[in-house]
């Protein structure tokens, strides 16, 4: 493919060489040992590295063209190398990658979901509905990327633009008709989805999160990044009840639909009922407005109603049969998101990814609404992270749980006991009962062996993760496997 074809739609300056150069490969990773002769190397400037500093090395390896956003050392590129300058190489990479893979997003119905909470669950609900309707749907998100029967672990909620376009291409080649994906605020800020016009852009909710030195400078910036999605989609479907929805849709360029519980929404839920039966939690409700359905969701709480409403709002555009929608919602499961583990019909064990105070408070508040005999919360906190998170999570669990079991999460390069002491500082601000068991396997065994009839036990923090990170190494640790092994080993419970 010629360089000028890759640069289509971009403003650029040709500093030297020819735009008619035939490009053999697009590369943005300077760590590659070998690259094709005649490759285009994109110099990305990151927080901890700058690809411009490796331009000379990549030329020696065979790069025939360089895409830059600032001046190079005069020795970096000889006269035989084509050099193109753009304002932002991350932004440009999204367009170059799309062109390189033949604009695969145009071959799919694209659904992009943004928001603070609910993205992961909603993607799985949407995929479940569409697949049940016979519509082949790929998924890209925090947990994994799914293409047909093939699933791969995810490194980022939203992949870098080159990987994203490569994944779209694989999906199109595999016969996928649609893709549902999480679109993080970081991805929008770093232009990972630049150039894509989503068929449907979705907003779930917004709360103060991801604000700090390595993420967003302020809540205002966080919201502005989320709002970018509604300037690059055809139809926007938004939670009309959210306090920040007006900021999200400000200057939108798409058609808009709303969902929620309020009467002003175009799709509404009414008659919400909590379902608490032996070994199961869920919600029933009726939809009004754009479509009328009687819905049962095997996940607890009001946020499960919002997630289901959102999925229904999306899938009705695919003309999915109403019975299929209801059946798919009833059978949908999301790994590590209020995930029920079969242990006993006398008490409930749930695994959830809640790993900060906001998520934990939302989870525990929801579970308390089901009036369990006891609400037992097991959690730890990650090492080499802000201590404030530990104080806050300790305070939340101490205030809301009947019993907290403090244990280890991913201690990384910290001593697990030191992290536990910080959590205890937070829980000491409450009257909450707690025990500390540093070894997570022993802590899980304690919760199950000491369970009482009617208890809800939530194992928080790990969710979909299947490892524990200690001193820079990841050790296998899947709580589902752990529980099965404990039960097979003769662990006693009521």
């Amino acid at each position: 493919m010629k360089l000028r074809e890759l640069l289509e739609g971009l403003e650029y300056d040709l500093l030297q060489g020819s735009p008619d150069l035939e490009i053999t490969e697009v590369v943005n990773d300077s760590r590659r040992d070998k690259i094709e002769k005649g490759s285009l190397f994109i110099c990305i400037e990151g927080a901890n590295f700058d690809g411009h500093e490796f331009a000379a090395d990549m030329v020696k390896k065979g790069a025939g063209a360089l895409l830059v956003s600032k001046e190079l050392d005069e020795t970096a590129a000889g006269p035989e190398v084509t050099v193109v300058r753009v304002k932002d190489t991350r932004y440009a990479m999204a367009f170059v990658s799309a062109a390189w893979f033949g604009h695969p997003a145009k071959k799919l119905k694209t659904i992009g979901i943004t928001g603070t909470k609910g993205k992961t669950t909603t993607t799985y609900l949407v995929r479940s509905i569409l697949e049940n309707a016979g519509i082949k749907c790929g998924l890209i998100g925090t947990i994994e990327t799914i293409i047909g029967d093939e699933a791969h672990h995810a490194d980022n909620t939203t992949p870098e633009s080159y990987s994203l376009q490569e994944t779209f291409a694989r999906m199109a080649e595999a016969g996928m008709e649609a893709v549902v994906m999480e679109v993080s605020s970081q991805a929008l800020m770093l232009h990972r989805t630049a150039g894509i016009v989503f068929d449907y852009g979705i907003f779930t909710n917004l709360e103060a999160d991801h604000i700090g030195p390595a993420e967003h400078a302020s809540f205002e910036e966080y919201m502005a990044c989320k709002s970018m999605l509604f300037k690059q989609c055809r139809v926007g479907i938004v939670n009309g009840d959210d306090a920040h929805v007006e900021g999200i849709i400000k200057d939108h360029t798409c058609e808009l639909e709303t969902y929620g519980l309020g009467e002003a929404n175009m799709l509404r839920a009414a008659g919400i009922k909590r379902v608490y039966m032996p070994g199961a939690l869920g919600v029933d409700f009726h939809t009004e407005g754009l479509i009328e359905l009687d819905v049962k969701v095997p996940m607890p709480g009001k946020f499960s109603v919002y997630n289901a409403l959102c999925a229904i709002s999306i899938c009705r555009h695919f003309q999915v049969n109403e019975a299929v929608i209801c059946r798919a919602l009833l059978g949908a499961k999301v790994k590590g998101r209020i995930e029920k583990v079969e242990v006993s019909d006398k008490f409930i064990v749930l695994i959830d990814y809640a790993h900060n105070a906001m998520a934990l408070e939302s989870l525990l508040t929801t579970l308390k609404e089901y009036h369990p005999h006891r609400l037992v919360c097991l959690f730890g906190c990650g090492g080499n992270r802000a201590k404030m998170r530990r104080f806050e999570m300790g305070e939340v669990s101490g205030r809301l749980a009947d019993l907290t079991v403090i244990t280890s999460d991913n201690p990384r390069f910290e001593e697990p006991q030191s992290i536990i002491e910080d959590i205890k500082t937070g829980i000491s601000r409450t009257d909450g009962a707690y025990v500390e068991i540093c070894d997570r396997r022993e802590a899980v065994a304690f919760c199950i062996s000491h369970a009482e009839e009617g208890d809800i036990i939530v194992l928080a923090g790990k969710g979909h993760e299947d490892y524990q990170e200690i001193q820079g190494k990841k050790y296998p640790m899947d709580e589902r496997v752990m529980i099965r092994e404990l039960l097979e080993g003769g662990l006693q419970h009521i």
Side-chain angles (χ1 to χ4, degrees):
M1 183 177 288
K2 293 189 183 299
L3 179 59
R4 71 164 68 249
E5 295 175 285
L6 293 175
L7 298 173
E8 191 173 337
L10 291 170
E11 293 184 7
Y12 62 90
D13 294 319
L14 183 66
L15 302 185
Q16 65 180 53
S18 170
D20 292 316
L21 180 70
E22 195 70 31
I23 299 299
T24 58
E25 186 181 17
V26 174
V27 181
N28 70 320
D29 187 351
S30 61
R31 296 168 296 183
R32 289 265 300 272
D33 291 329
K34 293 182 180 180
I35 62 173
E36 296 286 336
K37 187 173 176 58
S39 297
L40 168 64
F41 176 61
I42 304 175
C43 301
I44 301 295
E45 190 173 1
N48 301 312
F49 67 92
D50 187 348
H52 294 82
E53 296 175 3
F54 301 95
D57 291 338
M58 299 306 286
V59 169
K60 289 177 183 176
K61 292 176 183 178
L66 300 172
L67 190 61
V68 304
S69 60
K70 61 184 183 182
E71 287 187 19
L72 294 174
D73 184 286
E74 59 184 23
T75 63
E80 75 284 359
V81 178
T82 295
V83 181
V84 175
R85 184 168 180 168
V86 293
K87 184 177 180 180
D88 186 329
T89 49
R90 279 192 183 276
Y91 180 81
M93 182 168 68
F95 285 81
V96 169
S97 300
W100 179 252
F101 288 105
H103 300 284
K106 294 180 180 179
K107 302 170 187 176
L108 303 161
K109 283 289 184 183
T110 48
I111 306 160
I113 302 179
T114 199
T116 303
K117 297 184 296 189
K119 298 188 298 297
T120 299
T121 298
T122 305
T123 58
Y124 280 87
L125 295 181
V126 169
R127 182 175 183 272
S128 176
I129 294 170
L130 294 183
E131 288 279 332
N132 271 273
I135 299 168
K136 294 183 178 180
C137 182
L139 181 147
I140 301 171
T142 301
I143 299 174
E144 60 192 346
T145 294
I146 303 175
I147 305 175
D149 296 328
E150 191 180 315
H152 299 282
H153 171 75
D155 294 320
N156 295 312
T157 295
T158 310
E160 278 288 3
S161 57
Y162 182 90
S163 297
L164 179 60
Q165 294 294 339
E166 183 178 32
T167 300
F168 286 160
R170 289 173 54 214
M171 287 181 173
E173 187 177 345
M176 298 295 106
E177 301 163 75
V179 55
V180 59
M181 63 177 289
E182 297 181 51
V183 183
S184 68
S185 56
Q186 284 282 305
L188 289 160
M189 181 173 70
L190 297 175
H191 308 302
R192 292 175 186 168
T193 62
I196 301 170
V197 180
F198 288 93
D199 291 291
Y200 304 99
I202 316 301
F203 167 65
T204 60
N205 51 66
L206 193 70
E207 296 182 22
D209 197 13
H210 300 294
I211 298 166
E215 297 183 278
H216 297 287
S218 65
F219 180 78
E220 289 70 26
E221 180 187 285
Y222 179 49
M223 180 164 62
C225 288
K226 293 286 190 190
S227 72
M228 291 168 64
L229 181 59
F230 301 94
K231 301 177 185 67
Q232 62 178 97
C233 69
R234 295 184 175 89
V235 177
I237 299 174
V238 300
N239 177 355
D241 294 345
D242 191 83
H244 303 287
V245 67
E246 291 302 321
I248 290 292
I249 62 175
K250 183 182 179 183
D251 301 325
H252 68 88
T253 58
C254 57
E255 297 178 27
L256 279 180
E257 293 181 9
T258 59
Y259 68 91
L261 308 186
E263 285 296 320
N265 290 298
M266 298 166 72
L267 180 69
R268 302 174 296 279
I272 300 170
K273 297 177 183 176
R274 299 182 191 90
V275 178
Y276 188 2
M277 61 190 76
L281 299 175
V283 285
D284 292 357
F285 62 94
H286 180 76
T287 66
E288 300 175 340
L290 293 172
I291 187 171
E292 297 216 3
L293 299 169
D294 289 316
V295 180
K296 297 180 184 294
V297 181
M299 290 173 274
K302 189 183 290 185
F303 53 74
S304 295
V305 176
Y306 277 104
N307 292 338
L309 274 178
C310 184
I312 293 167
S313 297
I314 296 164
C315 292
R316 76 174 196 88
H317 285 275
F318 289 79
Q319 285 74 54
V320 178
N321 178 279
E322 295 177 4
V324 171
I325 292 176
C326 293
R327 184 174 69 247
L329 287 174
L330 188 59
K333 294 180 180 179
V334 186
K335 188 176 182 181
R337 299 305 191 273
I338 326 179
E339 179 187 357
K340 181 175 171 287
V341 183
E342 296 295 339
V343 177
S344 170
D345 60 2
K346 295 184 178 180
F347 59 89
I348 293 173
V349 178
L350 303 170
I351 294 175
D352 194 83
Y353 189 51
H355 60 289
N356 59 39
M358 179 178 65
L360 190 64
E361 178 148 15
S362 176
L363 174 65
L364 297 182
T365 300
T366 293
L367 295 177
K368 281 182 75 70
E369 292 173 353
Y370 287 79
H371 304 294
H373 170 62
R374 295 185 310 168
L375 178 56
V376 179
C377 177
L378 175 150
F379 79 96
C381 288
N384 304 106
R385 297 293 187 269
K387 286 193 174 188
M388 184 58 68
R389 175 176 290 192
R390 304 167 191 176
F391 304 152
E392 291 172 346
M393 290 185 72
E395 188 276 330
V396 166
S397 188
R399 176 165 46 86
L400 295 174
D402 296 295
L403 175 64
T404 299
V405 180
I406 308 173
T407 188
S408 185
D409 192 290
N410 291 323
R412 298 186 176 89
F413 291 96
E414 285 194 67
E415 286 298 321
Q417 190 60 44
S418 175
I419 298 171
I420 288 173
E421 293 303 321
D422 288 335
I423 296 171
K424 286 163 62 178
T425 298
I427 205 168
S428 67
R429 299 169 183 166
T430 74
D431 296 325
Y434 72 89
V435 297
E436 56 177 291
I437 304 173
C438 192
D439 183 275
R440 196 171 183 107
R441 185 184 184 91
E442 291 180 14
V444 171
F446 173 87
C447 289
I448 293 173
S449 62
H450 288 76
E452 298 177 9
E453 187 166 357
D455 282 355
I456 296 177
I457 300 168
V458 58
L459 312 180
K462 298 298 293 176
H464 60 276
E465 292 181 353
D466 57 4
Y467 64 87
Q468 188 172 39
E469 187 176 346
I470 303 170
Q471 295 296 317
K473 185 176 180 180
K474 290 183 177 180
Y475 296 87
M477 192 191 73
D478 185 321
E479 289 181 325
R480 298 151 203 79
V481 175
M482 180 192 297
I483 291 170
R484 186 173 67 248
E485 290 174 347
L486 288 169
L487 296 176
E488 289 173 352
L491 180 71
Q492 297 298 309
H493 57 77
I494 60 170

